[in-house]
Amino acid sequence: MTTTMTDVRTRFAPSPTGYMHIGNLRTALYAYLIARSLRGTFILRIEDTDQERLVDGALDAINRTLDRCGLEHDEGPDKGGPCGPYVQSQRRAIYREHADQLVERGGAYYCFCTKERIDGLRAACEQDGGTFRYDGRCRDLPRTRPPPGSAPVSRTWCGSACRSTGPPWCATWSTASTPARTPSWRTACC
């Protein structure tokens, strides 16, 4: 199946960190109704990036709730589709490829600051009542990818959509062989 810019694709992206609540169900219902009314595709994507808060059985509960309410998805982890994988933690290679391209073009850079350093900067900023912004310490380091194991456990790519005026962003993930966390996106840190 090939999608075009005119194809309507809606998605419901719950986090399996607990049972669904009425707000989750409302979001799923709106996405489902929009897709169905416009003959589009309703997608289920699982946002499992917060590995520390995952709840056993939560994914099954999400699927059961959607089934009981008649909200059948067209694409998702259990059905596949042309834009998979549909589990966020399984998309790591895709994100890495795009982040590498941003680094190569100068739109992003590697940051090797430890979590402790970033947390310290954030705490100092909060104590002063300011808005946290990463100080750019690693901005002028070489853009080549360091060899595996040569950096702290947490690696970050930082950049902005437009280097001079765009909003800042960072992508952080674990580089350990058995990651404690999968990619998570932090804003307002560059």
Side-chain angles (χ1 to χ4, degrees), residues 127-147:
Q127 186 176 18
D128 294 340
T131 301
F132 176 67
R133 287 183 59 89
Y134 173 64
D135 61 5
R137 178 180 190 176
C138 299
R139 186 178 312 259
D140 296 321
L141 294 177
R143 291 198 172 127
T144 57
R145 179 187 285 268

Side-chain angles (χ1 to χ4, degrees), residues 15-20 54-65:
S15 177
T17 55
Y19 293 100
M20 282 183 57
L54 292 182
V55 173
D56 288 336
L59 183 56
D60 291 334
I62 290 167
N63 284 320
R64 274 194 316 274
T65 302

Side-chain angles (χ1 to χ4, degrees), residues 36-54:
R36 293 297 176 257
S37 71
L38 298 172
R39 297 188 180 135
T41 304
F42 176 53
I43 301 162
L44 174 63
R45 183 181 72 208
I46 302 301
E47 296 284 346
D48 66 340
T49 56
D50 191 353
Q51 296 285 310
E52 295 170 3
R53 293 182 47 221
L54 292 182

Side-chain angles (χ1 to χ4, degrees), residues 49-130:
T49 56
D50 191 353
Q51 296 285 310
E52 295 170 3
R53 293 182 47 221
L54 292 182
V55 173
D56 288 336
L59 183 56
D60 291 334
I62 290 167
N63 284 320
R64 274 194 316 274
T65 302
L66 293 175
D67 287 344
R68 286 180 182 158
C69 294
L71 304 179
E72 183 178 347
H73 55 279
D74 302 302
E75 298 174 25
D78 56 337
K79 296 185 177 187
C83 298
Y86 295 92
V87 177
Q88 203 69 348
S89 63
Q90 296 171 1
R91 300 179 66 84
R92 180 179 306 210
I94 296 168
Y95 299 138
R96 180 165 291 197
E97 176 186 343
H98 290 280
D100 284 341
Q101 290 172 7
L102 282 169
V103 169
E104 288 172 22
R105 290 190 298 233
Y109 58 92
Y110 295 108
C111 175
F112 301 100
C113 295
T114 63
K115 180 183 183 316
E116 291 75 21
R117 180 175 186 278
I118 299 294
D119 289 346
L121 291 171
R122 180 175 284 116
C125 206
E126 288 173 0
Q127 186 176 18
D128 294 340

Side-chain angles (χ1 to χ4, degrees), residues 157-169:
W157 277 302
C158 297
S160 66
C162 170
R163 276 181 76 78
S164 60
T165 60
W169 55 267

